[in-house]
Structure formats: structure tokens, C-alpha cells
Amino acid sequence: MTIRQLPPYKEMARKDSCFRPGSTLCVGCMESIAFQNFGRVTDNGTKTIYTMGTFCGEVSTLFWPGVISWGRGETEPAAFEKSFSIIHNVFESAPTVAEGIRDTADILTELGALQKPIQVVSNSGDGGALVIGLRSLLHTIQRKTRITVVVMINEFFANTGFQFASTTTPYSETSTTPPGEFIPGNLSEPMNHIGLVLMAGAGYVAQVSPAFPKEFTEACEKALACPETSVLFVPSPCIAGWKYEEGKTIELAKLASESGLFPTFLKEKGKEGIMKYVAPDSTRSQKLLNFLSEQRRFNHLVRKNKEDLPSVVSGREKELKTIEEWIAKNLKNLNALSKWDQ
Ligand code: SF4
């Protein structure tokens, strides 16, 4: 049989993911898609050790005595290079535990007790990494620990009840920022999470969704190969918290980038960064309206009208303008950061 040559990112489909069936993640959760794809990239001939903080991606996949959705191969792999280990710790500790593993592996290598390389990955949600665990994340980066940090951004503490996080879009409904007569949802401006990790000294930083498979695959490969701390932010539409219809996950992930809310951003230390898949000024507002109108968490701002077109709720024009201004400011900052000589 002849196996057709595919572009490198499509070859990934033939690799063996470390994420297995059986999780209790919601149907349509982007985290599941990201795990599948990132898991394939880790099948690169190097043993993988994975640490997880507490987030949906952990409580729904490591639910002992339920199904454990992780491992590589149908049977336990005999090959060290293909083997996969996973460790869970509390919300904020995934990067710190990964750092301990990296240091131990490096010492064992120096002593000659470990003869093959390992790759170490830390995975958390935005609540765990950018709120509760921001301090430990920044210290791991500042020490230039050779690990890959993956952060799923769904804009909530989803697994504890959809509370506000530092990444929540302005005016979004969350369980702790319910919109009402006087307060139109979340009043806080999101933190510049990309700027923070770049300033802390990350060797590679990417914000990219599996909805853009070529860029996602290449970013995962670069992150795993980085000699310092690499950080991969994965914007992750959350069907339960964002309240959208089934089948819209990829469309919303694309709109998140095109609207400028979560632009695709790729930067290696010492090189100019790249920003992609952001609509030009002339169509960006429409992309934003499309993004907001598909989600009931923004029902108090934008809704579909009788013609099924997005329309701003009367009296909420000011809030829409504020979001657009915040996006424009954020894009300007990211543009400057892309040229920053670290
Ligand atoms: S609540 Fe959201 S993040 Fe959690 S499993 Fe469901 S869709 Fe995924």
C-alpha cells in the first residue's frame, strides 16, 4: 500500500495522541479538541511527563475510579520514548510540579542515571494559571525552566461554577458578574496575559486555537522544542459557560481571533512576533457582533433579530464601543510586543 505524503501538520493525524476516549468533558468542549491535537504532537519519540492543575480538563479526564482518559497506545507502551506519565496537583501548582520534574530529570541525566531525554508539560486553565497560580507561573518562566506550559482560556473558573477570571471579556455574564439593571456584567478589563509572560522572559509564546490547525501544530512543536519556558495559550470556547448551540465551537474559536478578542499570536525569543487571523478595521466590528450574538452570556448586549442578524440591544451601544476600544488598545499593545527585543 502506498501512503500518500501529507503536509507536516496533516501528518499529525497519523500520530498516536496521549488523550484517550472516555472523558466527561462537555460535548463540543474545545479542551477535548486541543488535548487530542497537542497529544499527537507529543508523540515525537521523547517520553512525555504531564502535570495538571485543577480545571475542567483535569476533573473530567482523571476521575478515579471513573475513566482515566490519558495514556498512549491501546496497550501499555513498552518503549520509553513513547511512554506517557501524568501527575495532578492543585489549581496553581502545575508549573511548579513540572519544574521539580525537570530539575530531577536534569540531575539524573547529569549523574548518568537517565539516558534518554524527557519532555515536561504543565497544563492548567486560565483560572488556575492566570489568577490563583499567576505567581508560580511567572516564577517558573523567570527561572527559564525547560518546560512547556499550556493554558486553556475559557474566560471562567468553569469547573467550580463559571466564576469571573482575569481573562473574562468585558460585560460578559459570569456567575459572579450577573448583568442586571445597574451593572451590565463584568466591569473589569482583562489582563494582558501575553505581555505578562513575555516580560517574565518566556522563550516562546503563542496564543493559538486548534481551529487553525497548521499554526496550532507548528506552535506545539516549537513550544516542545524551546530550550527555555514556552507558553501556549489556547482560547477554548466553553459550550456550557458561553451558552452557545452545539456545532459552533470551531466557528467561535475563529471569530475569537478574527474579532481581535483573542488574536492568534506567535513569538519566539529574539525574533519578531506574528499576529494572524485578525480582521481588518473595516470588518472587525462585524466579526465581534457575530461572536457575541452566538452566545447567551452576552444576551444583554447583542441578540439575533427576526432576520437572524446580530443587533445591539437598545441602550447598550456604549458597552459595545468600550469593548471595541479595548480590542483596539490590546491589538496595538500586542503589535508593539511583537517587535519587542527580549
Ligand atoms: S464547562 Fe466548559 S470548559 Fe468545562 S468541560 Fe464543559 S465546555 Fe469544557
Side-chain angles (χ1 to χ4, degrees):
M1 188 175 73
T2 311
I3 297 182
R4 192 161 59 92
Q5 287 298 309
L6 296 169
Y9 76 95
K10 288 190 180 170
E11 281 293 344
M12 279 301 150
R14 296 198 174 122
K15 295 205 169 196
D16 192 4
S17 183
C18 56
F19 186 59
R20 315 297 302 166
S23 83
T24 53
L25 288 162
C26 301
V27 174
C29 176
M30 179 57 96
E31 293 188 2
S32 172
I33 301 169
F35 291 156
Q36 269 294 340
N37 288 285
F38 183 72
R40 283 197 169 91
V41 185
T42 61
D43 184 18
N44 58 4
T46 306
K47 177 181 170 62
T48 306
I49 302 184
Y50 211 90
T51 71
M52 282 192 136
T54 307
F55 70 114
C56 275
E58 180 274 314
V59 298
S60 310
T61 65
L62 285 177
F63 188 52
W64 179 259
V67 174
I68 303 293
S69 315
W70 297 91
R72 201 172 331 265
E74 293 305 320
T75 54
E76 196 161 323
F80 181 84
E81 292 83 351
K82 222 168 158 52
S83 67
F84 174 86
S85 314
I86 193 159
I87 299 172
H88 164 242
N89 207 287
V90 292
F91 274 94
E92 71 277 21
S93 297
T96 312
V97 173
E99 199 176 334
I101 293 166
R102 178 81 271 160
D103 287 350
T104 307
D106 288 349
I107 290 167
L108 291 176
T109 303
E110 263 180 51
L111 295 173
L114 183 63
Q115 268 134 33
K116 292 181 177 169
I118 61 163
Q119 55 195 358
V120 185
V121 178
S122 144
N123 198 173
S124 315
D126 41 2
L130 299 173
V131 185
I132 302 177
L134 183 61
R135 185 178 61 174
S136 50
L137 172 66
L138 294 181
H139 279 283
T140 297
I141 296 169
Q142 192 262 333
R143 289 184 200 115
K144 300 188 173 24
T145 310
R146 189 162 44 94
I147 64 167
T148 295
V149 178
V150 182
V151 182
M152 306 297 186
I153 298 190
N154 59 19
E155 306 185 36
F156 296 115
F157 283 85
N159 74 305
T160 56
F162 306 105
Q163 293 91 347
F164 151 86
S166 55
T167 45
T168 304
T169 294
Y171 307 115
S172 170
E173 173 197 301
T174 74
S175 62
T176 44
T177 61
E181 195 182 339
F182 301 109
I183 298 180
N186 167 39
L187 295 176
S188 302
E189 195 171 279
M191 71 161 53
N192 182 348
H193 53 279
I194 294 177
L196 273 174
V197 300
L198 276 173
M199 293 294 168
Y204 179 73
V205 179
Q207 174 164 270
V208 59
S209 163
F212 304 106
K214 181 172 178 294
E215 287 76 10
F216 185 75
T217 304
E218 287 172 2
C220 296
E221 284 173 336
K222 282 192 174 162
L224 287 170
C226 180
E228 298 176 352
T229 311
S230 54
V231 186
L232 204 57
F233 294 114
V234 184
S236 300
C238 164
I239 191 165
W242 292 18
K243 302 177 186 169
Y244 58 85
E245 299 308 314
E246 262 186 65
K248 297 268 180 188
T249 305
I250 297 294
E251 181 186 331
L252 281 170
K254 287 183 174 171
L255 283 170
S257 181
E258 289 162 354
S259 65
L261 277 169
F262 290 92
T264 302
F265 181 88
L266 312 152
K267 181 153 179 19
E268 285 174 71
K269 191 178 265 187
K271 292 190 184 170
E272 189 164 326
I274 301 167
M275 193 149 44
K276 291 183 92 170
Y277 303 117
V278 179
D281 293 353
S282 55
T283 55
R284 202 181 308 132
S285 296
Q286 189 58 47
K287 297 282 184 188
L288 177 64
L289 284 179
N290 294 347
F291 178 78
L292 301 176
S293 67
E294 292 290 351
Q295 306 169 57
R296 293 197 300 284
R297 67 176 170 139
F298 294 110
N299 244 355
H300 54 294
L301 292 187
V302 179
R303 291 186 197 158
K304 296 257 181 102
N305 61 20
K306 284 188 197 135
E307 288 79 41
D308 207 31
L309 296 171
S311 90
V312 181
V313 172
S314 175
R316 292 300 184 200
E317 296 79 5
K318 187 168 132 280
E319 281 77 14
L320 250 291
K321 195 159 178 356
T322 306
I323 300 178
E324 287 177 359
E325 285 169 357
W326 175 75
I327 288 173
K329 185 175 79 173
N330 195 37
L331 291 175
K332 194 170 158 218
N333 287 341
L334 283 180
N335 211 18
L337 281 169
S338 72
K339 295 178 181 59
W340 183 49
D341 187 11
Q342 288 162 279

